[in-house]
Amino acid sequence: MLRRTMAEFDVKAGLQHVLKQIEATLLNRPKEINAPKPLLVAVSKTKPVEYIIEAYNAGQRHFGENYVQELEEKSQHPDILAQCPEIKWHLIGHLQSNKINKVLKLPNLHMIQTVDSEKLANSLDSAWSKLQPEPKEPLRILIQINTSAEDVKSGIDAEAAPSLYQYIRTNLKNLQAVGIMTIGAYGFDYSNGPNPDFISLMKVHGSICQANDLSAESVAVSMGMSNDYDRAIEMGSTIVRVGTAIFGYRAAKA
């Protein structure tokens, strides 16, 4: 796991900077965008436990990990267990079926953001029903959509996402389909206009809300990372996943 000296980056200042940017973006967001204030998930991939604790002590509660092994190590780390009792973990990377039981047993698991097939959803539903004591709360999940249609990225096709949402909502009582997410193509040039991945995800969001007679704010939208979370919020994102802008923040020298 990558480790750096605490003096190299200012995690608290990075977190405060991102939160201020979120507030500023909300003030300028088009009035027709009917979405709640976004949830900030601090992506702590490759970052040391000390950084997570520093962000937690500064008020951050939701953290995201891409890899099962890192999530397993950090969620069970004695310092995090002792100092971060209200931490909420999100898995934001691909989940293989053979690692489901390992992930679901982890402390303070809050959400799986990367469900992209009926097979994976069925496996999660079955595993959660066996692991959790009664009465149990459903496992929160997001449906991951491959809006950029890249072979290297996980996610269901945009056209098939509404039917997967409906399948989970109707048949899998141990899962709570909270909403949808995308990673999207990297390095989009915003001088060319709005991000097509964000446009695609918001269209899926609209289709799901219309088909299920749901309000827009009741279906979460996870899109936007360090380089474009403000653009995502402008278009209706309700969950942003930010890593480098928090954990790699360098305060300006006087």
Side-chain angles (χ1 to χ4, degrees), residues 41-47 63-72 74 89-96 99 103 111-114 144 153-154 181 183 186 225 241-244 247:
V41 176
V43 180
S44 46
K45 176 183 68 173
T46 76
K47 302 302 183 288
F63 293 81
E65 287 291 337
N66 289 64
Y67 304 114
V68 170
Q69 183 176 349
E70 264 197 87
L71 177 59
E72 186 179 16
K74 291 174 180 175
W89 291 106
H90 297 239
L91 181 66
I92 59 174
H94 180 64
L95 176 59
Q96 295 175 305
K99 295 183 178 179
V103 170
M111 185 183 292
I112 307 289
Q113 292 206 18
T114 50
Q144 181 178 5
K153 286 195 171 75
S154 300
M181 77 88 82
I183 295 175
Y186 293 113
M225 296 184 284
R241 311 179 304 274
V242 180
T244 303
F247 295 107

Side-chain angles (χ1 to χ4, degrees), residues 45-93:
K45 176 183 68 173
T46 76
K47 302 302 183 288
V49 164
E50 290 85 353
Y51 281 29
I52 296 170
I53 293 172
E54 187 177 352
Y56 183 93
N57 288 338
Q60 180 64 21
R61 292 296 179 265
H62 291 262
F63 293 81
E65 287 291 337
N66 289 64
Y67 304 114
V68 170
Q69 183 176 349
E70 264 197 87
L71 177 59
E72 186 179 16
E73 292 172 358
K74 291 174 180 175
S75 67
Q76 299 179 100
H77 193 284
D79 291 347
I80 287 182
L81 290 172
Q83 299 181 50
C84 309
E86 297 177 1
I87 198 167
K88 296 175 172 61
W89 291 106
H90 297 239
L91 181 66
I92 59 174

Side-chain angles (χ1 to χ4, degrees), residues 14-28 229-230 233:
L15 177 62
Q16 291 173 340
H17 176 76
V18 170
L19 291 172
K20 287 178 181 177
Q21 287 293 107
I22 289 173
E23 292 293 342
T25 304
L26 287 173
L27 286 174
N28 296 313
Y229 65 90
D230 53 342
I233 292 168

Side-chain angles (χ1 to χ4, degrees), residues 61-200:
R61 292 296 179 265
H62 291 262
F63 293 81
E65 287 291 337
N66 289 64
Y67 304 114
V68 170
Q69 183 176 349
E70 264 197 87
L71 177 59
E72 186 179 16
E73 292 172 358
K74 291 174 180 175
S75 67
Q76 299 179 100
H77 193 284
D79 291 347
I80 287 182
L81 290 172
Q83 299 181 50
C84 309
E86 297 177 1
I87 198 167
K88 296 175 172 61
W89 291 106
H90 297 239
L91 181 66
I92 59 174
H94 180 64
L95 176 59
Q96 295 175 305
S97 295
N98 62 351
K99 295 183 178 179
I100 285 175
N101 286 331
K102 182 180 291 187
V103 170
L104 297 192
K105 290 178 182 177
L106 296 177
N108 300 309
L109 178 68
H110 183 76
M111 185 183 292
I112 307 289
Q113 292 206 18
T114 50
V115 176
D116 60 1
S117 68
E118 286 187 11
K119 180 181 178 182
L120 180 56
N122 285 330
S123 297
L124 284 167
D125 182 80
S126 176
W128 190 250
S129 70
K130 295 171 184 174
L131 285 173
Q132 297 300 308
E134 298 287 351
K136 57 179 152 296
E137 292 185 359
L139 173 66
R140 301 175 193 88
I141 65 99
L142 299 181
I143 294 172
Q144 181 178 5
I145 300 168
N146 186 354
T147 52
S148 57
E150 295 174 87
D151 292 338
V152 295
K153 286 195 171 75
S154 300
I156 192 170
D157 291 342
E159 296 77 15
S163 62
L164 178 57
Y165 180 92
Q166 184 64 53
Y167 174 82
I168 294 170
R169 194 164 184 255
T170 302
N171 300 296
L172 305 183
K173 301 307 179 186
N174 296 299
L175 301 185
Q176 179 187 356
V178 176
I180 54 180
M181 77 88 82
T182 191
I183 295 175
Y186 293 113
F188 178 74
D189 183 357
Y190 282 92
S191 67
N192 295 323
N195 190 320
D197 291 310
F198 295 169
I199 293 173
S200 176

